[in-house]
Structure formats: C-alpha cells, structure tokens
Amino acid sequence: MLGLALAQAPAPSQDPPEALSDALPTPPPPPVVGTAWLLMDYETGQILAGENVDERVEPASITKVMTSYVVAAEIAAGKVSPDDQVMMSENAWRKGGAMTDGSYSGFPVNQTASLLDMEKGMAVQSGNDAAIALAEHVAGSEASFAALMNAYAKRIGLTGSNFVNSHGLSEENHYSTARDLALLGRAMIRDFPEEYAHNKVKQFTVGPITQRNRNLLLWRDDSVDGIKTGHHSKAGYCLLSSAKRGDQRLIAVVMGSTGEAQRATDSLALLNWGFRFFETHKLYDAGQAITTQKLWKGQANELRLGLAEPLLVSMPRGKYQQLRPTMDVPRTLVAPIEQGQQIGTVRVALDGEVIAERPLVALDAVEEAGFFKRLWHEFLMWWNSDAD
C-alpha cells in the first residue's frame, strides 16, 4: 500500500509557479496618516503615489536637509572646509541649545568644534543649536544663510518652498511641500553623497552626551539610509526617508503624522509597496540616436536625433512591454543645425497616459551646404510640397 501511495503522488515541480502579482492591476498604496505624503522614484523623479503633494506644510527639522545641502555646496565650492572650527555662539546656544524645548547637539557655548562634527550633530542628533552655528559660520547670520538656502532651493528646482531659518522651528513664511522635500532629498543624495551619509549614522556623541538618530527606520530596515525626521506642534510628526534595494532607490515623505511610530510605520509601508510593485527601466542612453531624419540644404543629408540625458521610466512591474514611445518631429528640417538644438519631443505612454516626455536634440552640428546644393534643395522642397 505504501508503494501504491507513492506511485500516485504527483511528481514535484521543477520550476516554481509564476507570481500572479505582476499580472494583476497594481494595488492601491497603503493608507497613510498625515496631511501630505508621497513616494518618489529616485532615478526618474516620478511620483508613484501621493496626496496633497503641493500643499504648503511646515517642514520642521527636515529643514536641516536644506541646511546640509547649502553647507555641502559651500564646501564643494571651497568657501568653507570640514576642518573649520565652528563657534557655538551664545545666540545659537540660547535659540537651539539644551535650555530650549527642541532637539540640541550639546556642543558647549562659546567653544568651537570642527565643521564636520557640527554637521553630524545637526544631521544625527537634529541639533537646532548646531544648525544655527553652521549658518552663522557659513554666512555670518541666519538671515544671510536663509538667503543662500532659497537661492540653492531655486537651483534644485523647489518651486513651493521658502526658508527663513536653518533649523525648522515654526516661523512665519517658513514652508515647503511634500514634492519639494522629496526633490531636496533626491538632490542631496545625487549631489553630495558623502554628506548624505551622515544621515544613516545611528548615534553621535558630544562630550558626555550620546544621542540616537530619531529615524526609527534605521533600526527596522537595513536598506534605509536616511534621511531626516521633523516634529513640532504645528507641523506634527514628519519623516523624509530613502531606501535602496538592488539598483532601485525610492524616497518617501510623510508630513503631519500623529506620532513618531506612526510616521515610521507608514513610511516603511510606502517603501515596501513601491519596491514590490514598481520597477525602473532605461529606455534610451544620452547621445544614442533614436531616429535619423532627412535634412535639407546641409553639408550632410541626414540628421541624427537623440537625448541629452538618459531617459528612464518608472512603471508598475510587468508593464514594460506595454510602453508606447512616440516622436513629434517637424516635417521639414533645414540646415544649419547646432549640436544640442532641440528639434522635437519624444513621449512615452502607458495605458494611454504620458508618463515621460523629453526634448529630442540634434546629436551633430550640420552647417549649410554650398550655394548650388541649397538652390537645388530649394527646388526639390518646392516640388515635393507642390506634389503634396
């Protein structure tokens, strides 16, 4: 009987069954407690999901990411150095030190510390005092530093933000948006990875005081490497986070949550949802010829068109074959043409919706042809138009 039972048992499958999730519609994102939130793909900048992404919010201590960006940019420009000695002024200590209700770094008043340590005190411990001291060192005053913050914010492409201080405590006309904060995090990761790395340090010690990083996700998921928490009574609990798994990086923003644990739970749920159900593909490389078009009156008779930057697209998993690229190019192209000159547009659609759009540019410069060739092409252009 045992032999019969074994004979009737099905043979084990050699290949695991295919996952059904890639063939089904993408499920909605997890619920988020907050006034505004979003999930962004780092490579493309596409928002995969979000709510109230352009609504003005108080950024609280996420402001310090903008402060970090300015300091890193000034270091890169040679204006300041990580070895600079930064004074913890009485102004910085009184506004942001241990005697206040906010987070502090613990550097002693009227003493100096290296700019690098002061940066860590701001990034890891969220020290308001360190943020003020850095602003005074870089620009002389917080007001002057805020002007730098807004100038760099404009360069990054933040259109819904205005900064009036370096630390993020509530102040009139100090605001941002979930979209802008995600773009700020993206810029910090891209432009200054060394300074960005401060955000994954789990604890930092100043004198006898050791404080933990307030980003709970650093302990919950090894793929998370930043970015910054924020909280005060008007802003609620906020978190700008990022994680990288394999070649894919995502950025999550949760603003106005109800608690430290809630903002962390919701942020990780967003990241997990994004990694599971979305993927990013490179469609075209920079400088790759996408199309070759007829060119009139030029020393060359054809013009190669492509992109100035790589084109990457984020989409639900399993949808790659459904992408539909189209090009919009003028019917008649006439020399001279400058290299990099915009000639048309390439668009990528999924399910009838355009998800990416980039300018098509000339990959080569083409000068005008000689007089007789131009004259001949003029005749051919007239003939062709008349025939149409």
Side-chain angles (χ1 to χ4, degrees), residues 42 69 155-156 183-193 196:
Y42 166 77
Y69 190 94
R155 177 190 289 182
I156 294 169
L183 291 173
L184 172 60
R186 184 177 182 232
M188 189 76 202
I189 297 166
R190 178 193 66 223
D191 298 342
F192 304 112
Y196 172 74

Side-chain angles (χ1 to χ4, degrees), residues 59-336:
S61 280
I62 298 178
T63 298
K64 296 183 177 85
V65 181
M66 190 73 243
T67 302
S68 292
Y69 190 94
V70 174
V71 173
E74 294 294 290
I75 291 173
K79 304 296 184 181
V80 294
S81 165
D83 298 325
D84 284 358
Q85 290 300 300
V86 177
M87 174 65 70
M88 178 56 67
S89 68
E90 186 167 337
N91 175 64
W93 179 79
R94 287 189 180 279
K95 286 184 177 179
M99 302 300 292
T100 65
D101 292 332
S103 51
Y104 66 96
S105 63
F107 290 103
V109 64
N110 292 327
Q111 294 187 31
T112 63
S114 72
L115 185 145
L116 178 59
D117 282 348
M118 201 71 74
E119 276 190 297
K120 292 178 179 178
M122 178 180 67
V124 180
Q125 300 169 327
S126 197
N128 295 325
D129 51 354
I132 298 170
L134 285 166
E136 292 175 341
H137 180 80
V138 170
S141 69
E142 271 210 282
S144 297
F145 188 81
L148 278 179
M149 295 172 77
N150 289 316
Y152 278 109
K154 184 177 181 180
R155 177 190 289 182
I156 294 169
L158 311 190
T159 59
S161 300
N162 188 67
F163 300 98
V164 299
N165 65 53
S166 61
H167 43 74
L169 292 174
S170 187
E171 199 166 342
E172 188 177 359
N173 290 324
H174 187 86
Y175 56 83
S176 189
T177 67
R179 184 196 301 271
D180 274 8
L181 294 176
L183 291 173
L184 172 60
R186 184 177 182 232
M188 189 76 202
I189 297 166
R190 178 193 66 223
D191 298 342
F192 304 112
E194 186 174 338
E195 285 81 2
Y196 172 74
H198 299 331
N199 295 281
K200 68 180 179 182
V201 177
K202 291 185 176 181
Q203 64 182 32
F204 188 64
T205 300
V206 175
I209 303 172
T210 298
Q211 297 186 69
R212 284 163 55 98
N213 195 313
R214 289 167 170 77
N215 185 357
L216 297 180
L217 296 188
L218 296 176
W219 284 267
R220 295 186 181 182
D221 191 311
D222 289 341
S223 69
V224 175
D225 55 12
I227 304 176
K228 190 73 191 71
T229 61
H231 169 255
H232 58 62
S233 58
K234 291 185 177 180
Y237 289 84
C238 312
L239 179 56
L240 169 61
S241 58
S242 183
K244 185 176 182 181
R245 299 178 187 174
D247 293 330
Q248 187 177 19
R249 178 182 285 280
L250 300 177
I251 297 171
V253 180
V254 172
M255 306 299 292
S257 188
T258 55
E260 187 176 7
Q262 187 69 53
R263 70 187 177 190
T265 297
D266 288 348
S267 296
L268 187 56
L270 281 173
L271 292 168
N272 285 337
W273 175 80
F275 281 120
R276 178 59 194 87
F277 293 107
F278 287 84
E279 60 186 349
T280 299
H281 286 275
K282 180 190 289 185
L283 303 186
Y284 305 108
D285 282 313
Q288 173 187 347
I290 298 176
T291 181
T292 300
Q293 299 290 317
K294 171 69 178 178
L295 183 64
W296 298 96
K297 300 184 181 181
Q299 292 185 2
N301 295 324
E302 293 182 330
L303 180 66
R304 299 185 310 140
L305 302 181
L307 302 177
E309 297 179 351
L311 174 56
L312 297 94
V313 177
S314 299
M315 74 207 76
R317 291 191 181 276
K319 296 274 190 175
Y320 178 71
Q321 297 299 329
Q322 299 177 34
L323 293 177
R324 295 293 179 264
T326 59
M327 289 182 297
D328 182 9
V329 180
R331 183 178 180 182
T332 303
L333 296 177
V334 180

Side-chain angles (χ1 to χ4, degrees), residues 362-383:
L363 298 181
D364 309 293
V366 181
E367 296 181 1
E368 276 189 325
F371 173 77
F372 290 107
K373 184 175 182 180
R374 295 201 313 272
L375 186 64
W376 175 243
H377 277 199
E378 184 71 37
F379 169 75
L380 292 176
M381 291 167 65
W382 169 81
W383 181 268

